[in-house]
């Protein structure tokens, strides 16, 4: 059974439009936050360590979101991340945002393990790949 990485955040005033509903670009900041925490807490290689230690980063290669229900000021959100695929130099994540039992958005995001100075992709180090493997989501038949 695979692990799922989850962080919990409360919707703050700075996330909202004048109606008190999360302004959709703020969800992309939350997606970035769950990925940042995933690399730091689950993989053991925070973005600060990647950049300063090895000159590497994990920029977004592709993102696809579906918004299911609005989130409002004060709501508590659980952002969960599972790994769908690990390639040579990329990884695809399934990210789900819920509040209680209500799904707020789902997202498929692919990041690239990249050399910042060269601007090129690079193979995942074995220790990062091994840590991400613990979060691989079992494939289900279509």
């Amino acid at each position: 059974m695979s692990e799922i990485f989850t962080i919990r955040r409360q919707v703050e005033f700075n996330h909202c439009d004048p109606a008190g509903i999360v302004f959709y670009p703020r969800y992309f900041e939350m997606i970035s936050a769950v990925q940042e925490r995933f690399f730091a807490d689950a993989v053991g290689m925070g973005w600060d360590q990647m950049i300063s230690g090895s000159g590497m980063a994990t920029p977004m290669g592709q993102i696809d979101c579906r918004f299911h229900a609005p989130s409002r000021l004060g709501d508590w959100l659980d952002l969960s991340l599972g790994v769908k695929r690990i390639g040579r130099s990329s990884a695809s994540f399934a990210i789900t945002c819920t509040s209680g039992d209500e799904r707020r958005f789902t997202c498929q995001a692919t990041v690239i393990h990249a050399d910042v100075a060269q601007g090129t992709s690079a193979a995942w180090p074995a220790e990062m790949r091994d840590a991400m493997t613990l979060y691989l989501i079992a494939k289900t038949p279509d």
Side-chain angles (χ1 to χ4, degrees):
M1 178 149 181
S2 65
E3 300 283 331
I4 298 292
F5 181 81
T6 302
I7 63 172
R8 188 171 176 93
R9 296 284 157 94
Q10 189 172 30
V11 174
E12 299 171 343
F13 180 76
N14 62 37
H15 298 131
C16 297
D17 63 17
I21 297 171
V22 171
F23 182 46
Y24 75 91
R26 300 297 176 241
Y27 281 134
F28 289 93
E29 293 170 354
M30 294 178 199
I31 290 166
S32 182
V34 72
Q35 288 180 96
E36 184 171 359
R37 295 301 347 137
F38 173 72
F39 279 106
D41 302 338
V43 177
M45 181 63 69
W47 287 349
D48 58 332
Q49 294 169 293
M50 279 188 236
I51 292 168
S52 65
S54 61
M56 304 304 286
T58 55
M60 187 68 65
Q62 181 174 342
I63 190 164
D64 180 36
C65 288
R66 175 140 166 41
F67 303 104
H68 302 279
S71 297
R72 300 181 189 287
L73 182 62
D75 286 352
W76 281 96
L77 304 177
D78 293 310
L79 294 118
S80 300
L81 181 153
V83 178
K84 290 189 68 168
R85 183 191 63 77
I86 305 170
R88 182 191 77 81
S89 60
S90 66
S92 297
F93 302 137
I95 300 170
T96 303
C97 176
T98 58
S99 184
D101 292 334
E102 186 176 38
R103 190 169 46 174
R104 301 300 173 84
F105 73 81
T106 51
C107 171
Q108 307 296 316
T110 300
V111 297
I112 312 301
H113 185 245
D115 182 312
V116 175
Q118 299 298 317
T120 58
S121 65
W124 293 108
E127 52 280 353
M128 289 180 74
R129 175 182 289 282
D130 291 346
M132 285 191 287
T133 300
L134 299 174
Y135 294 84
L136 271 173
I137 300 167
K139 291 186 180 190
T140 57
D142 292 331

